[in-house]
Amino acid sequence: MKTKSAAWGSIIPYKNNFVMMKYKMHVLVCGGTGCKSSDSDMIAHNLRTAIDQKGLTEEVQVVMSGCFGFCEKGPIVKILPDNTFYVHVTPSDTTEIVEEHLVKGRRVERLLYKDPQRDEIISDSKHMGFYKKQVRIALRNCGFIDPESINEAIARDAYQALGKVLKEMTPQQVAEEIKKSGLRGRGGAGFPTGLKWEIASKSPGPEKYVVCNADEGDPGAFMDRSILEGDPHSVLEAMAICGYCIGASNGLIYIRAEYPLAIERLKIAINQAREYGLLGKNIFGTDFSFDIELKYGAGAFVCGEETALIHSMEGQRGEPTFKPPFPAVAGYKMKPTNVNNVETYANIPVIIMNGAEWFASYGTEKSKGTKVFALAGKINNVGLIEVPMGTKLKDVIYDIGGGIKGNKKFKAVQIGGPSGGFLTEKHLETEIDYESLTAAGSMMGSGGMIVMDDSDCMVAMAKFYLDFTVEESCGKCSPCRIGNKRLNEILEKIAQGKGTIEDLELLRNLGNVIKDTSLCMLGGSSPNPVLSTLDHFYDEYLAHVKDHKCPAGQCKALMQYIILPENCVGCTACARNCPVNAITGERKKPHVIDQAICIKCGACVEKCKFNAVVVQ
Amino acid sequence: MEKVKTLDDLKKLKEQLKSTIELREKSNNPESHVQVKVAMATCGIASGAREIMSFFMDELRKRNIDAIVSQTGCMGYCYAEPTIELTIPGHEPVVYGNVTKAKADEIIEKHIKNGILVDGIIPVTYQNINKK
């Protein structure tokens, strides 16, 4: 057996003692939060052990990479150069992968991805519907490099854009280039990034700040987390570029403490960059100095709003204040501050390297480049995707997302989180960009896309988002604090079957008042889920208030489970599984549910093999 | 750790580090590279396929040829191991049998560099079901 090599990971000593490993194969194991929670650490460990036992340590490199995006199928193991994509890998599969694939060169068929629509096995990720239509710019290094190795990032051109701006461009030229690229804020509002930088650069003052907003709070959104976990150097580099552009030497990343892995990798990345002198004093021998520190948030949704974020960083309560003054004029410690979101920053280095025209060649007239979306809900391929702006909603849901789970019918997709709205079947042809989403009554937001099928009740969905906003409202202004609470109570009343037609009008009026009068965009957008469901699914609201029925069968107060005597064979499966003993009946005779006892948990429906239990 | 003092330092460092992820870069579009697949089943390994694979990897790199060297399973030509399948972009794959280091050298110099077929080709005796 060969001796153990110290170079298991991918940290390769720099310069003179540079060890050239001749790896024949690279095994990439997803090290994103999702796959890690499914034991991907153990998978990597077992792979290394098995590889060592076979004496292949010097031939096969095992790398913990960032997220591949295909979270539905995680944990994922990708083997290169043959691009084999293994899905749902468990730690016990590793021996077989090593013995069959790495030693004998035979793919382990049972772990390959199977296309659910065409029922065929696809081994190469490039041929999967999920990846085919994606264009990965912000996610370019996620699932490709080891995020804990600055060397791998440098091998992919990290920090060259910083070198380029310091050597060849003036701060004005940098702002001009970003403006020309058409990049707009990816955090939700879509403000032109170059313009934001220009305003901050023109604000007078010797002390300025560059802030990265990593307070990702939308339910179901995890694009920023994945970028920080998979490619932290792209964000650090972009912040330094911004520092040069606006004249700041301090960077701050405001990140929520619920993202421990992202924090860990950011810390490693910052230290590595400092060791190489890519952060710190006199970068690339110029008189530009820049360093970055982390500030932790406690995970309040409102702190994603830039003024609240700044107050939280200052140690104040995370509450927004009225704008103007904008942070670009008086931000952190009342000094000029530029705040951008993680995904926005991740686009910057490639724009500088490849040019504004290259970036602007993707996308639509007013929305350039790509956007990362987190696909979630009733969709086959839950995960993280990046598509050019202008991609049709239908392509995202059916081609990339693989369609609706269980072949059910598509009902709606909620885009933009608690501030966004719902799009329906008639919007499937919509080409996704900032303007078209707003025109359709939704918004880009940070890019969460939650898909619903016909078993989802829209009143319940609106209430779900409103519950979230009520919880997350900071309470500073009354429209948001009191108004949303009242909205939520009306929705609850409707879900209980006690709503009236007047309530629907009240919902709309109150929603509009909250929108118009709230202090910040949290309140200003919080009624959107309610208003947009009222627009698109008014019939469903009517069914709740007039017929006291929930068409989707989700509002428990409005439905009951009954047993159809003609289908029931009296097998007793339902009665035995009822947690509250609400079902009675003799063996081999139709059973009955006592509605007074039933808690509507649905256990009987799942257990019945004869379709005898139905919702009414 | 030594500091990166200039942009040129960074570019040099990048050049040095490039090879560490080269294999991953090439896998993104294998069709556009010369591909050498070495049959590495039991019969292949017993006949010295591992050395041949290392030889190809080392020599192609030394001679500055952009190629992907990978291992594959048994191609069925156990009588002629080690076997390799060579694919030049835009051409049909060609299988060579009984590949020694000397033969490998000849394949690199003549076939890969100049597109001249050399002795030792095993004619195609099967249909690949992946091809339509």
Side-chain angles (χ1 to χ4, degrees):
Chain A
M1 196 157 71
K2 287 184 183 167
T3 50
K4 267 189 195 172
S5 162
W8 259 1
S10 48
I11 311 282
I12 290 160
Y14 177 39
K15 281 194 174 163
N16 301 336
N17 47 353
F18 185 80
V19 182
M20 197 47 238
M21 296 300 292
K22 281 194 309 178
Y23 293 115
K24 292 189 175 72
M25 293 180 130
H26 291 202
V27 180
L28 304 182
V29 182
C30 177
T33 291
C35 286
K36 259 183 177 258
S37 62
S38 308
D39 264 350
S40 71
D41 276 326
M42 199 63 194
I43 294 172
H45 173 82
N46 288 2
L47 280 169
R48 283 171 183 152
T49 313
I51 286 167
D52 189 38
Q53 278 166 0
K54 291 285 168 196
L56 295 174
T57 306
E58 285 168 18
E59 296 181 18
V60 184
Q61 183 190 25
V62 178
V63 181
M64 269 304 228
S65 73
C67 179
F68 290 96
F70 207 172
C71 308
E72 177 77 29
K73 299 286 169 193
I76 286 161
V77 172
K78 191 172 178 181
I79 297 182
L80 302 173
D82 49 298
N83 256 327
T84 305
F85 197 84
Y86 288 126
V87 298
H88 291 313
V89 180
T90 64
S92 54
D93 293 328
T94 49
T95 322
E96 195 177 343
I97 293 178
V98 172
E99 286 182 357
E100 282 296 303
H101 194 139
L102 303 186
V103 176
K104 296 178 189 155
R106 291 194 290 240
R107 283 172 170 149
V108 183
E109 201 131 305
R110 67 181 177 86
L111 295 173
L112 293 173
Y113 171 72
K114 199 168 172 191
D115 187 305
Q117 280 158 342
R118 273 168 289 155
D119 205 32
E120 61 177 333
I121 287 175
I122 304 177
S123 61
D124 186 335
S125 56
K126 281 206 313 292
H127 299 134
M128 293 177 187
F130 183 74
Y131 286 107
K132 256 196 248 168
K133 291 203 170 168
Q134 293 198 43
V135 175
R136 300 190 140 215
I137 296 176
L139 299 176
R140 62 194 176 279
N141 289 332
C142 288
F144 193 86
I145 60 165
D146 174 356
E148 297 182 11
S149 159
I150 189 172
N151 285 334
E152 291 204 1
I154 288 174
R156 292 275 281 178
D157 294 332
Y159 298 100
Q160 287 208 24
L162 177 60
K164 185 178 168 187
V165 301
L166 293 181
K167 290 276 174 196
E168 298 168 12
M169 296 168 85
T170 63
Q172 291 73 25
Q173 283 172 332
V174 177
E176 242 357 274
E177 190 73 8
I178 303 299
K179 260 162 78 179
K180 241 176 26 193
S181 75
L183 176 67
R184 293 166 64 177
R186 297 295 192 243
F191 191 80
T193 307
L195 187 59
K196 208 172 193 179
W197 288 21
E198 191 180 70
I199 297 168
S201 75
K202 284 181 179 159
S203 285
E207 193 184 336
K208 296 183 185 178
Y209 291 91
V210 174
V211 173
C212 172
N213 182 349
D215 189 66
E216 186 174 46
D218 291 11
F222 54 100
M223 53 289 285
D224 293 346
R225 189 191 76 203
S226 280
I227 291 172
L228 293 171
E229 285 176 4
D231 187 17
H233 290 286
S234 69
V235 176
L236 304 184
E237 182 185 8
M239 289 176 71
I241 293 171
C242 178
Y244 173 72
C245 176
I246 69 167
S249 51
N250 294 297
L252 300 158
I253 300 177
Y254 184 81
I255 183 164
R256 36 181 56 210
E258 294 113 306
Y259 281 0
L261 185 63
I263 291 172
E264 179 63 27
R265 291 197 174 146
L266 272 174
K267 281 185 183 165
I268 294 172
I270 291 172
N271 282 333
Q272 289 176 339
R274 281 182 190 148
E275 277 180 38
Y276 269 156
L278 296 166
L279 284 178
K281 294 218 176 310
N282 302 103
I283 298 169
F284 289 120
T286 63
D287 51 14
F288 175 69
S289 301
F290 192 81
D291 211 342
I292 294 173
E293 69 175 295
L294 300 183
K295 291 272 185 187
Y296 305 118
F301 181 63
V302 72
C303 290
E305 197 282 334
E306 55 186 8
T307 59
L309 180 149
I310 287 167
H311 296 312
S312 173
M313 286 201 305
E314 289 167 339
Q316 315 281 330
R317 287 183 72 149
E319 289 179 344
T321 38
F322 190 73
K323 294 190 279 194
F326 288 91
V329 177
Y332 185 61
K333 296 181 181 167
M334 296 309 280
K335 304 281 190 266
T337 303
N338 179 72
V339 186
N340 281 133
N341 146 280
V342 173
E343 191 189 332
T344 314
Y345 280 125
N347 281 299
I348 300 286
V350 261
I351 293 177
I352 299 289
M353 289 307 285
N354 298 351
E357 290 80 16
W358 166 82
F359 187 78
S361 70
Y362 293 100
T364 60
E365 195 197 336
K366 287 184 175 168
S367 306
K368 300 298 185 190
T370 56
K371 177 77 191 86
V372 183
F373 290 100
L375 282 182
K378 309 283 176 65
I379 192 156
N380 277 317
N381 301 340
V382 168
L384 205 60
I385 63 155
E386 182 171 354
V387 289
M389 295 277 191
T391 303
K392 282 186 179 170
L393 186 58
K394 162 183 94 175
D395 293 349
V396 170
I397 291 172
Y398 289 98
D399 294 346
I400 299 174
I404 311 302
K405 269 206 173 110
N407 282 325
K408 286 197 177 168
K409 197 173 169 310
F410 168 78
K411 184 171 187 179
V413 55
Q414 210 278 356
I415 305 179
S419 315
F422 293 75
L423 299 185
T424 62
E425 214 174 348
K426 65 172 192 238
H427 299 111
L428 280 174
E429 293 290 330
T430 305
E431 294 177 348
I432 304 167
D433 69 10
Y434 290 100
E435 280 70 30
S436 67
L437 287 182
T438 310
S442 184
M443 67 183 276
M444 185 68 83
S446 65
M449 257 195 200
I450 299 178
V451 178
M452 285 140 224
D453 65 21
D454 49 13
S455 67
D456 289 309
C457 167
M458 290 298 127
V459 177
M461 287 315 300
K463 194 169 172 326
F464 166 80
Y465 285 106
L466 209 61
D467 277 340
F468 181 85
T469 354
V470 167
E471 182 97 340
E472 293 290 344
S473 169
C474 76
K476 187 171 179 175
C477 72
S478 32
C480 177
R481 182 184 69 242
I482 305 170
N484 280 322
K485 185 89 186 153
R486 294 290 94 85
L487 266 190
N488 204 19
E489 284 166 2
I490 301 169
L491 282 179
E492 177 61 31
K493 198 174 141 196
I494 294 171
Q496 292 290 337
K498 295 171 188 155
T500 59
I501 292 280
E502 291 73 42
D503 284 332
L504 301 187
E505 218 29 58
L506 187 57
L507 275 181
R508 207 187 285 275
N509 287 339
L510 182 54
N512 285 324
V513 170
I514 298 171
K515 270 183 91 152
D516 293 343
T517 54
S518 289
L519 176 65
C520 80
M521 279 311 286
L522 188 152
S525 59
S526 57
N528 285 351
V530 181
L531 296 173
S532 117
T533 44
L534 271 173
D535 282 345
H536 300 312
F537 299 97
Y538 193 70
D539 289 348
E540 211 167 314
Y541 277 89
L542 274 185
H544 281 75
V545 298
K546 276 173 91 177
D547 312 333
H548 306 291
K549 285 260 186 297
C550 173
Q554 204 188 345
C555 293
K556 286 189 177 168
L558 297 182
M559 64 185 208
Q560 51 182 3
Y561 289 99
I562 57 156
I563 296 175
L564 301 174
E566 61 272 25
N567 284 7
C568 181
V569 297
C571 71
T572 75
C574 55
R576 279 182 283 120
N577 283 287
C578 177
V580 290
N581 296 322
I583 307 177
T584 48
E586 277 179 56
R587 276 181 72 83
K588 299 191 178 170
K589 286 192 181 153
H591 283 46
V592 195
I593 301 174
D594 184 339
Q595 299 301 335
I597 307 175
C598 177
I599 54 166
K600 295 162 187 172
C601 67
C604 46
V605 181
E606 277 168 37
K607 292 292 169 192
C608 181
K609 291 180 183 147
F610 307 96
N611 298 322
V613 187
V614 292
V615 181
Q616 250 188 4
Chain B
M1 206 180 279
E2 268 187 72
K3 298 257 182 202
V4 180
K5 294 197 187 75
T6 64
L7 181 54
D8 287 336
D9 272 3
L10 182 72
K11 284 181 178 162
K12 263 184 234 152
L13 180 59
K14 188 229 149 130
E15 281 311 308
Q16 284 185 324
L17 293 167
K18 205 173 68 181
S19 63
T20 58
I21 59 159
E22 207 172 23
L23 183 137
R24 282 177 239 166
E25 300 270 11
K26 286 179 193 163
S27 317
N28 270 339
N29 47 349
E31 317 76 44
S32 57
H33 296 276
V34 172
Q35 291 184 66
V36 181
K37 286 185 183 164
V38 184
M40 293 271 268
T42 310
C43 48
I45 295 170
S47 317
R50 204 173 279 285
E51 288 77 41
I52 295 303
M53 187 172 174
S54 299
F55 183 82
F56 270 108
M57 290 180 78
D58 292 345
E59 292 304 314
L60 289 168
R61 183 176 294 144
K62 272 189 212 157
R63 299 176 203 186
N64 261 330
I65 297 165
D66 221 10
I68 301 174
V69 183
S70 61
Q71 62 179 31
T72 181
C74 178
M75 291 192 249
Y77 309 113
C78 307
Y79 63 93
E81 295 293 345
T83 51
I84 65 146
E85 184 188 89
L86 174 64
T87 315
I88 308 282
H91 294 268
E92 285 294 303
V94 172
V95 176
Y96 284 101
N98 296 313
V99 182
T100 58
K101 284 187 185 172
K103 179 55 78 183
D105 180 68
E106 198 186 348
I107 292 170
I108 296 174
E109 284 306 313
K110 291 193 176 155
H111 192 159
I112 297 179
K113 278 194 180 170
N114 298 312
I116 305 164
L117 302 185
V118 295
D119 283 347
I121 293 178
I122 302 177
V124 179
T125 53
Y126 59 88
Q127 268 191 320
N128 196 330
I129 56 158
N130 293 330
K131 293 211 180 102
K132 282 178 190 135

